[in-house]
Amino acid sequence: MISLSVAWDDIGGLVDAHERFLAGARVEADVRGSVLESWKRCRSVGLEPDHLLLPYEQGLTLDERFLRAADPVLAELAASLAEMGMTIALCDARGRMVRRLDGDLRLRDRLDEVNFAPGFDASEPVAGTNGVGTALAARGPVYVVGREHFADCLQPFACAGSPVRDPLSGRIEAVLDLTCLRDDGDPTMLRLVRAAARDIEGRLLEQATERERALLAAYRRAGLGAGGAARPPGPPAPGHGDGHNGDGLGRIDLAVLRERAEELIASPGRTLDEVPLSGGRIATLLRRQVMGAAGETGAAVEARILGGPRLTGLGLPTSPPVAGPVPVATPGADGVPAAAREATAPPVTPPAVVVRAVVPPPPPAETVGDILDGAESRLLLVGEPGVGRLAVLARRRLELLHDAGLRIGTTLDVTRTAEELAEVTVPRFADFVAVDLPDAVLRGEEPEALGGRSALRRVAIRAVRKQPANLYDVGDTVEYVPSTPQARCLELTQSVMEPVLAEAGGWLAQDPERLERVLAAGVHSLITVPVRARGTTLGVVSFYRSEKPASFEDDDLSLAQELVLRAAICIDNARRYTREHNTALALQRSLLPKGRPEQSAVEVAYRYLPAQAGVGGDWFDVIPLSGARVALVVGDVVGHGLHAAATMGRLRTAVHNFCSLDLPPDDLLAHLDDLVGRLDRGEGWAVESTQADSGIVGATCLYAVYDPVSRRCTLTRAGHPLPAVVAPDGTVEFVDLPPGQPLGLGGMPFETVELELAEGSQLVLYTDGLVEDRLRDMDSGLDRLRTVLAVPDRAPEDTCESVLDALLPDRPSDDVALLVARTHVLGRERVAEWDLPSDPAVVSRARTAVTGQLAAWGLDDLAFTTELVASELVTNAIRHATGPVRLRLLRDRALLCEVSDGSSTSPRLRRALTEDEGGRGLFLVAQLTERWGTRYTPYGKVIWTEQPLP
């Protein structure tokens, strides 16, 4: 042997890595991953490296069947290592040493000093990192040398261990270990112990095959004794190449027969079964007990199609019915019954052990004869009940994986995906399942590193019966103590199986009093699996068994890992989608109105609901205009995601800017159409960008302006759905408004329609997501909307609720924006207007009229300022404009003063020099009022000002 003590103890920092690990330092760079994981497991159970207390038990032994397979291999291994100064240890599946072979006297004495001897427990939770316990915990071969041992007393040794599995079931039957002094250690020990373990497994498989052959021979002898002639399989019957045999049985019929035969063999309490086949035929299966010459017990299944042709094309031995037992399919070298291998389902290696079953006696001979009608029956399967059970379990596991692939991940919702995992696995795999995820995953964020004491949220549970009282409910915060399987699972990012929960002290430490009651209620076995995807741990899933008598086995652990792996990818996809969705939604909501603006023209209510599939570009707005008017806007950027939301924000900002210019509705849409076209061509960026705009698929908009003085409403649209007008009596009309082209196409003017609305009318604006979806066209949606709106004298808020309840699906596929505005009227008592001739002499009369009207309104405090403002505006209109001049005062939330004329020339604010005789009028107006501006009309312009009321 080559001495590697320096290489393993000094290189890489192992000299002090153990001490630094115990002090809480990170040692990932200095310690092999498998060893570090073992150290973490040892620490999680509270093991002290300087103090071991190894349990001892007398009379330990292994199954005679296993020893028959292991003894020749151990003898050969001992002979090859006779001069190596190495000992061989054979331990049971719990890590307790049953035998220790060879080794020189010095080595044996050293091992006795540390109680590495028959009868003592070498499992990892009590002995720390070592060849036996760590191979058992890791369920695979390991090599441990020197300071890689967790316990101080084991550091003088080097050891290599490998679990030995039953080749049919995959269950660990024993652990084989080679141990020597550290200076004699060599990594090739791992290859030796692994090869010896495989040899033992091969001999176990040979024993199983011999038993199956003995059962088949017993069946044939029984057939000859009854006067029948058992014949070997013959050539394929006609039709074999096209998937049918000579009896017209297709591959599906044959697969069904073999599947039901396996189930019959695995069910000692059943003797007969009827199997429906294609063409309305019924196959009768008969189970018989078989016993080999050496006492091997098994079962056989014979088949006959009732009322149909005899089964001559199955390619299996035949015999007439006998009163004795009947057999089951013989497993091949891979442990799979031959018939199961020929079925249409994918080949499966059943993870099963050969189980000796006591089979009840078959029915009397005359009953069998009646059932089979005295005709020839055919052997379908022969074997041991345990193997049949394992074949059935293997097939069910494949079916479960197939169903999981179809049922998990149907939505991009984290919680729903977790619920689907629980629904698929209960009760087919476990009796109770709990899925725990951190809040960050539910929010779509990247979770922090998870470990013991990490705060998780119980997201989904599923139970055969009512869940145990101690287990957390959905929505509860879960914090596992470090010794629990869940905490170890998160810390090590490895699955943890506790086949016997009553012996799992770490699990009980979570709440000993309550968990003892859970054990008393029947919960007996647990598997915890980390939810990991793309290198990130997202949570943990716990599978419990209580109703099922069988505890979890190695194959169950593999199946649980596969199920959670599939779910983890779906959960991570949903998490990433949630993050993008929340980001886009936050952006969109930040761009939508935060509240109702102050205005008296309309009473408004609105709703915005984002689509489940992704945030879109719908928006709405209520924008106060000059003259107590209000603009109502609803728009829709086609598409979903951040680009649509960002584009919506740009268009909404543009509409506000255009409204500040008091543009007519058709001109406003024309400017907006030009802006969308430029954005779609990648123009108009405010910052440099090396990446071209992804383009706007399309945008629509509806723009309406309502004047509460004249009760006139002017509307125009660009490819948007028709607005609805609800009269005070409940009559509903959709405005016959020219459609216009969607924004961005350019080239065509937009047409307007002007309506006169009665006081209390409701103007309903919406996006297409409200009235149209995959299951409903636009016309039927509009008809339904008309029906819902046809209610007189209803508040806008109630209208919004009724419309959404009636038209919106549970999971809308598109964004929905809804705006309902009930009109008000600014009465004549709050409006005063005068037509003035173009004569400077009328300015004094205008001042007098204004003063008198303000006195009538009780606004004497504003008389001086308003008189001066009106005088300046009227003077400018007479001096610089043409056409009739009109002065109007409006008493609304503010005092509005307007002067209109027939000129389209806009006045300009300027600062007059000291020696200038004019140019100060508009400057004074701007200083004396809160706001002022100009709006254009078809016949000229209006100069307006606003002053706050006292």
Side-chain angles (χ1 to χ4, degrees):
M1 285 290 182
I2 302 174
S3 175
L4 296 180
S5 59
V6 175
W8 283 98
D9 287 344
D10 298 330
I11 298 176
L14 271 178
V15 173
D16 62 345
H18 188 262
E19 287 73 15
R20 288 189 290 114
F21 171 79
L22 294 175
R26 298 179 64 88
V27 294
E28 281 79 357
D30 302 323
V31 184
R32 288 188 294 141
S34 59
V35 173
L36 183 58
E37 290 168 2
S38 175
W39 286 5
K40 290 179 180 180
R41 289 194 295 266
C42 296
R43 183 177 60 185
S44 69
V45 297
L47 197 64
E48 299 178 9
D50 57 348
H51 179 69
L52 293 185
L53 182 61
L54 303 184
Y56 175 80
E57 187 173 343
Q58 290 183 337
L60 295 177
T61 186
L62 292 170
D63 182 77
E64 182 182 350
R65 172 186 62 89
F66 181 87
L67 292 177
R68 284 200 306 269
D71 284 343
V73 176
L74 296 178
E76 183 178 351
L77 181 62
S80 64
L81 300 176
E83 304 299 327
M84 298 294 184
M86 192 173 299
T87 187
I88 305 169
L90 182 64
C91 304
D92 64 13
R94 294 173 55 185
R96 301 172 302 179
M97 189 180 299
V98 177
R99 282 190 198 171
R100 195 180 70 188
L101 308 176
D102 289 344
D104 56 33
L105 180 59
R106 185 169 66 101
L107 177 60
R108 290 198 299 269
D109 290 341
R110 295 288 298 275
L111 292 175
D112 288 340
E113 291 174 2
V114 296
N115 290 333
F116 192 73
F120 285 97
D121 193 342
S123 61
E124 193 177 73
V126 298
T129 308
N130 68 88
V132 175
T134 304
L136 191 59
R139 301 185 183 277
V142 297
Y143 177 68
V144 183
V145 61
R147 288 184 173 88
E148 291 184 330
H149 288 88
F150 187 80
D152 297 338
C153 62
L154 296 181
Q155 292 182 4
F157 304 99
C159 52
S162 177
V164 183
R165 301 174 183 270
D166 186 295
L168 294 181
S169 68
R171 180 186 293 132
I172 295 177
E173 294 285 324
V175 181
L176 189 61
D177 172 87
L178 300 181
T179 299
C180 62
L181 293 174
R182 180 182 60 185
D183 293 341
D184 297 329
D186 190 285
T188 56
M189 295 165 57
L190 187 62
R191 180 172 56 82
L192 293 175
V193 73
R194 189 162 44 194
R198 281 200 296 260
D199 290 343
I200 297 174
E201 292 169 354
R203 294 181 63 85
L204 287 171
L205 183 59
E206 290 176 2
Q207 289 182 13
T209 305
E210 290 173 358
R211 288 195 300 274
E212 294 292 345
R213 290 173 181 168
L215 292 176
L216 181 58
Y219 174 84
R220 287 175 172 169
R221 285 195 300 273
L224 292 173
R231 59 180 174 84
H240 181 76
D242 61 0
H244 294 76
N245 62 15
D247 297 316
L249 294 178
R251 294 183 183 274
I252 295 179
D253 285 339
L254 293 176
V256 169
L257 283 174
R258 289 160 185 158
E259 178 179 329
R260 297 291 287 271
E262 290 172 358
E263 294 177 357
L264 192 57
I265 284 177
S267 306
R270 296 171 56 198
T271 303
L272 292 172
D273 195 6
E274 286 190 347
V275 183
L277 301 176
S278 60
R281 295 172 294 180
I282 301 293
T284 297
L285 304 183
L286 173 65
R287 183 185 192 276
R288 299 181 184 275
Q289 184 177 353
V290 177
M291 180 173 292
E296 303 89 350
T297 59
V301 173
E302 294 176 350
R304 168 160 169 73
I305 297 180
L306 297 183
R310 296 178 178 178
L311 298 178
T312 59
L314 291 176
L316 294 168
T318 64
S319 72
V322 293
V326 186
V328 185
T330 307
D334 58 355
V336 184
R341 239 191 332 265
E342 296 171 10
T344 55
V348 181
T349 302
V353 234
V354 177
V355 179
R356 302 182 184 277
V358 179
V359 184
E366 58 273 15
T367 305
V368 175
D370 292 341
I371 293 171
L372 298 180
D373 198 24
E376 181 183 271
S377 61
R378 299 288 167 172
L379 172 63
L380 192 57
L381 293 174
V382 62
E384 294 180 279
V387 177
R389 166 185 168 273
L390 298 172
V392 172
L393 291 177
R395 183 172 59 252
R396 290 176 180 171
R397 288 177 180 130
L398 277 183
E399 293 170 353
L400 179 57
L401 286 174
H402 173 72
D403 290 348
L406 296 177
R407 296 175 56 187
I408 298 176
T410 60
T411 68
L412 285 172
D413 181 84
V414 173
T415 300
R416 181 57 194 149
T417 303
E419 292 172 348
E420 289 168 344
L421 171 62
E423 291 168 0
V424 166
T425 51
V426 175
R428 297 169 64 180
F429 176 69
D431 299 313
F432 179 83
V433 173
V435 183
D436 303 323
L437 306 174
D439 288 336
V441 172
L442 299 177
R443 295 191 300 265
E445 302 169 2
E446 196 81 18
E448 298 179 357
L450 300 179
R453 293 293 186 185
S454 294
L456 304 177
R457 183 78 58 188
R458 177 61 49 86
V459 176
I461 57 174
R462 187 85 170 180
V464 174
R465 297 182 180 177
K466 185 178 179 181
Q467 69 182 81
N470 82 291
L471 297 176
Y472 300 93
D473 205 348
V474 171
D476 291 347
T477 300
V478 184
E479 291 188 13
Y480 292 107
V481 300
S483 63
T484 58
Q486 289 86 350
R488 286 154 44 205
C489 173
L490 294 172
E491 176 75 17
L492 303 173
T493 65
Q494 290 183 343
S495 303
V496 176
M497 181 171 68
E498 295 288 358
V500 184
L501 273 179
E503 300 175 359
W507 177 74
L508 289 169
Q510 181 78 14
D511 190 337
E513 182 178 349
R514 299 175 68 187
L515 292 181
E516 287 288 356
R517 294 198 298 267
V518 172
L519 293 176
V523 176
H524 59 79
S525 191
L526 166 67
I527 288 178
T528 64
V529 183
V531 181
R532 285 184 57 81
R534 302 178 177 94
T536 301
T537 302
L538 306 175
V540 64
V541 183
S542 303
F543 301 93
Y544 292 88
R545 278 188 178 172
S546 58
E547 302 289 324
K548 296 176 177 61
S551 297
F552 285 119
E553 302 175 352
D554 283 0
D555 285 327
D556 296 315
L557 180 63
S558 300
L559 178 59
Q561 291 170 336
E562 179 66 23
L563 290 168
V564 175
L565 175 61
R566 298 188 182 198
I569 297 298
C570 297
I571 289 175
D572 193 49
N573 290 339
R575 177 190 67 82
R576 290 166 179 260
Y577 169 78
T578 300
R579 179 185 60 193
E580 298 297 332
H581 181 78
N582 290 343
T583 301
L585 186 60
L587 172 63
Q588 187 181 45
R589 291 196 182 280
S590 70
L591 298 174
L592 289 172
K594 299 297 187 298
R596 296 175 176 86
E598 292 186 359
Q599 49 83 33
S600 302
V602 292
E603 176 188 353
V604 297
Y606 52 81
R607 297 290 187 275
Y608 171 75
L609 286 89
Q612 293 292 330
V615 173
D618 292 12
W619 90 93
F620 62 90
D621 245 320
V622 179
I623 306 173
L625 302 176
S626 64
R629 299 168 306 137
V630 65
L632 306 174
V633 192
V634 172
D636 182 4
V637 176
V638 179
H640 295 89
L642 286 173
H643 177 71
T647 302
M648 176 272 290
R650 298 161 90 175
L651 296 186
R652 180 170 177 256
T653 301
V655 171
H656 273 264
N657 290 333
F658 294 146
C659 284
S660 68
L661 300 176
D662 251 329
L663 297 177
D666 53 343
D667 285 351
L668 186 144
L669 283 193
H671 282 76
L672 196 62
D673 176 62
D674 180 63
L675 173 64
V676 171
R678 287 189 287 112
L679 292 177
D680 209 17
R681 294 189 297 271
E683 304 174 14
W685 287 96
V687 296
E688 292 185 4
S689 176
T690 59
Q691 192 173 20
D693 198 320
S694 60
I696 302 173
V697 178
T700 64
C701 184
L702 174 63
Y703 184 79
V705 175
Y706 174 69
D707 186 344
V709 177
S710 64
R711 295 188 289 110
R712 308 292 294 180
C713 182
T714 306
L715 305 98
T716 185
R717 64 172 178 152
H720 204 80
L722 291 172
V725 175
V726 185
D729 62 358
T731 304
V732 180
E733 294 291 340
F734 289 100
V735 181
D736 187 12
L737 185 61
Q741 295 186 112
L743 299 175
L745 298 182
M748 296 296 292
F750 296 96
E751 300 183 47
T752 61
V753 168
E754 191 171 67
L755 307 173
E756 183 172 326
L757 301 178
E759 184 177 7
S761 300
Q762 288 192 5
L763 187 62
V764 181
L765 313 181
Y766 52 90
T767 54
D768 57 358
L770 180 69
V771 294
E772 186 179 32
D773 57 32
R774 291 188 297 267
L775 304 177
R776 180 180 60 196
D777 59 25
M778 178 75 75
D779 291 338
S780 61
L782 291 176
D783 290 341
R784 193 170 183 183
L785 178 62
R786 182 194 299 270
T787 302
V788 177
L789 292 176
V791 176
D793 197 25
R794 183 166 56 185
E797 285 288 343
D798 296 336
T799 300
C800 284
E801 290 298 325
S802 299
V803 168
L804 293 184
D805 290 344
L807 276 79
L808 202 64
D810 293 334
R811 299 178 66 86
S813 58
D814 194 8
D815 287 23
V816 173
L818 174 64
L819 178 63
V820 179
R822 182 162 63 181
T823 61
H824 293 165
V825 173
L826 200 62
R828 301 305 304 175
E829 71 280 2
R830 303 174 67 181
V831 180
E833 55 185 346
W834 301 271
D835 290 326
L836 304 175
S838 296
D839 182 356
V842 303
V843 175
S844 61
R845 290 189 315 185
R847 291 198 295 266
T848 301
V850 167
T851 303
Q853 185 62 55
L854 292 180
W857 284 343
L859 299 176
D860 298 284
D861 292 345
L862 298 179
F864 176 77
T865 302
T866 308
E867 179 185 1
L868 181 58
V869 169
S871 175
E872 288 293 336
L873 295 181
V874 170
T875 300
N876 285 342
I878 293 174
R879 179 178 298 177
H880 302 291
T882 60
V885 177
R886 172 172 290 187
L887 170 63
R888 185 169 76 162
L889 294 180
L890 301 176
R891 182 185 179 187
D892 191 27
R893 293 177 179 270
L895 178 64
L896 286 76
C897 179
E898 298 180 348
V899 175
S900 60
D901 57 53
S903 172
S904 59
T905 303
S906 176
R908 181 169 57 90
L909 179 67
R910 58 193 184 95
R911 294 179 179 271
L913 300 177
T914 305
E915 63 272 13
D916 290 345
E917 296 183 1
R920 295 176 178 84
L922 281 181
F923 177 78
L924 288 175
V925 169
Q927 295 297 311
L928 294 174
T929 60
E930 187 174 54
R931 292 197 310 151
W932 77 278
T934 305
R935 71 172 181 269
Y936 293 93
T937 69
Y939 311 105
K941 68 178 183 295
V942 176
I943 309 297
W944 57 268
T945 66
E946 285 187 10
Q947 300 175 72
L949 295 177

